[in-house]
Amino acid sequence: MKVVICGAGIAGLALAGSLMHTGIEVVVVERARRPREQGYMIDFFGPGYDAAEHLGVLPRLVELGYRVEEAAYLDAAGRRRAGLGYERFARSLGGRLLSIMRPDLERALREHVSDATDLRFGSVVVGVESGSDGVRVALSDGSAVEGDVLVGADGIHSTVRRLVFGEEERYLRYLGFHTVAYTFEDREVSRLVGDRFCLTDTVEQQMGFYGLRDGRVAVFAVHRTDNPNLPDDPQAEVQRKYASLGWIAPRALAQCPPASELYYDQVAQIQIDRWSAGRVVLLGDACQAVSLLAGQGASLAVGGAVVLGRQLAAEPIGTALERYQELWRPVVAEKQQVGRRLVPWFLPKSRLRLAMRRMMMRMTGLPGADRFFGSALAGKSGLPL
């Protein structure tokens, strides 16, 4: 069997890792010319943690990960208003939690498959032909790749999904936010942040900061907007939208990079009834985007890849694709529901809701509360294999 994967992100690379010792030939095509460097810090737990252990990449993830003391909410003067200790959260998950930059997670997965996978950067998919006995993927350079199965693991704005299943607006559920991520170098800001994930305690727009090993600072930002369309000039929009924030935000905004070095996108979910059509199947954010509000997009990408890989290695193709959706869709639906429930609290609209969120976070310090909040965020753990 030959599997063609469109997308060398987390989901695509994890699937390649799941298939590489099964005798299945794998080709990964990626439109970007090189691995992406943009991305934010993620808390990696839940089914993806189990899947990373299954793939054998967990030790590398731990090596690349960061120790975070707490998520601290700070006012305009840098004073702590509320916080959530990571040690208590980790204990509630049995210690199965790590914090890692998204590009570093991709790096570990790419290292894992580099010697066993045909990985082609700069390959843009422009057409898909699917028949009863295989698929043909046309690329922008005039070449084509043929295989038995095509996996669209090319993100929330999936080209494969558009070509095979229809236009994006049929499946994208916008949640009312835009999000931003970038890094800059400032050793003084890095010192102030320390081992914390520092967030502005603000309404409508919020910036978060974490110090990296080399003196750089990673920025995560999110703001409310009713307009789902992305701005023509993301850099100018970021500097305008977050100009009112205090503490270290002005220093971060002064070093906001141009669009080519800036991650800027909608916060949205993908809801699609069927994940496969003939020999084409969707994976990761292309079919299961939960949004950053749910906090487990990367975990689900790795978990879903392992589930799909196990099915492809064990069953006839048609059965494997059906069984993959049957096993994995309930897990995704639960996490998407969690994300939608968190919309009012993730970034409050009013000072009253902001105060209520502070109170809720203080409750995590009560006996047993950390286990409750941890299980509520993680949901059902384990892989349905």
Side-chain angles (χ1 to χ4, degrees):
M1 184 192 302
K2 181 177 180 180
V3 175
V4 181
I5 302 171
C6 179
I10 293 171
L13 292 170
L15 178 60
S18 181
L19 295 174
M20 70 178 184
H21 296 308
T22 64
I24 296 174
E25 182 182 355
V26 177
V27 177
V28 181
V29 296
E30 165 59 51
R31 68 180 300 126
R33 296 191 176 276
R34 62 187 65 85
R36 286 175 288 267
E37 298 179 357
Q38 303 96 334
Y40 40 81
M41 186 83 78
I42 57 176
D43 295 323
F44 193 72
F45 59 96
Y49 197 103
D50 300 336
E53 191 170 47
H54 172 83
L55 290 174
V57 299
L58 187 59
R60 182 59 169 150
L61 299 187
V62 172
E63 180 183 352
L64 292 171
Y66 287 82
R67 177 179 175 83
V68 179
E69 295 290 339
E70 70 165 351
Y73 287 83
L74 309 173
D75 64 17
R79 294 173 298 214
R80 185 182 182 278
R81 302 301 303 272
L84 176 64
Y86 266 57
E87 184 178 348
R88 292 176 63 90
F89 184 34
R91 283 203 305 268
S92 74
L93 298 170
R96 299 175 71 79
L97 164 72
L98 62 91
S99 299
I100 186 169
M101 291 293 289
R102 190 180 184 92
D104 286 340
L105 175 54
E106 286 190 10
R107 172 186 170 188
L109 293 168
R110 191 168 54 252
E111 291 172 349
H112 185 61
V113 303
S114 61
D115 295 332
T117 300
D118 183 358
L119 179 55
R120 307 179 188 180
F121 284 94
S123 299
V124 180
V125 173
V126 295
V128 175
E129 297 176 15
S130 177
S132 59
D133 58 348
V135 292
R136 185 177 188 275
V137 182
L139 303 176
S140 58
D141 64 359
S143 66
V145 183
E146 296 184 349
D148 297 290
V149 179
L150 170 63
V151 180
D154 48 346
I156 192 170
H157 305 299
S158 169
T159 297
V160 171
R161 189 187 62 231
R162 176 177 57 81
L163 291 171
V164 178
F165 296 84
E167 293 299 324
E168 180 175 289
E169 56 262 27
R170 296 171 57 183
Y171 310 115
L172 187 140
R173 179 171 181 169
Y174 178 61
L175 297 182
F177 304 90
H178 286 188
T179 186
V180 181
Y182 63 93
T183 62
F184 67 97
E185 186 169 346
D186 189 319
R187 293 189 179 276
E188 175 60 18
V189 170
S190 181
R191 184 191 66 78
L192 290 171
V193 171
D195 293 328
R196 301 174 297 169
F197 176 24
C198 295
L199 299 125
T200 61
D201 191 44
T202 45
V203 298
E204 297 292 344
Q205 58 268 337
Q206 179 185 75
M207 296 187 79
F209 311 92
Y210 6 68
L212 304 180
R213 294 187 183 94
D214 54 5
R216 290 180 304 143
V217 179
V219 176
F220 158 78
V222 63
H223 63 270
R224 287 183 176 273
T225 174
D226 294 330
N227 183 4
N229 298 324
L230 302 183
D232 294 331
D233 186 344
Q235 181 191 48
E237 178 70 1
V238 170
Q239 291 175 329
R240 181 188 68 83
K241 201 71 181 181
Y242 298 92
S244 63
L245 301 184
W247 194 41
I248 59 178
R251 293 177 70 156
L253 291 173
Q255 298 194 61
C256 179
S260 60
E261 302 171 31
L262 183 69
Y263 173 82
Y264 190 114
D265 207 349
Q266 305 164 324
V267 176
Q269 295 182 340
I270 293 295
Q271 296 178 315
I272 181 170
D273 291 337
R274 287 195 58 79
W275 293 356
S276 62
R279 293 293 186 94
V280 180
V281 63
L282 302 176
L283 174 68
D285 281 352
C287 63
Q288 64 180 41
V290 295
S291 79
L292 60 86
L293 280 67
Q296 292 194 64
S299 174
L300 292 176
V302 179
V306 168
V307 172
L308 176 57
R310 288 285 293 269
Q311 299 310 308
L312 286 171
E315 302 283 357
I317 292 172
T319 304
L321 302 187
E322 292 287 341
R323 185 65 175 150
Y324 153 63
Q325 178 165 338
E326 179 184 331
L327 288 170
W328 196 239
R329 186 185 184 91
V331 178
V332 172
E334 179 199 13
K335 302 299 185 296
Q336 287 186 327
Q337 187 177 43
V338 168
R340 292 192 295 273
R341 285 203 307 264
L342 289 175
V343 167
W345 304 106
F346 183 79
L347 182 58
K349 279 186 173 182
S350 67
R351 306 299 299 182
L352 175 60
R353 279 197 177 272
L354 190 67
M356 292 173 66
R357 187 179 68 178
R358 290 187 199 124
M359 182 176 66
M360 291 170 63
M361 296 191 71
R362 293 187 187 108
M363 290 173 59
T364 62
L366 299 175
D370 53 349
R371 291 190 298 274
F372 171 79
F373 285 104
S375 61
L377 285 173
K380 299 174 183 176
S381 191
L383 287 172
L385 297 176

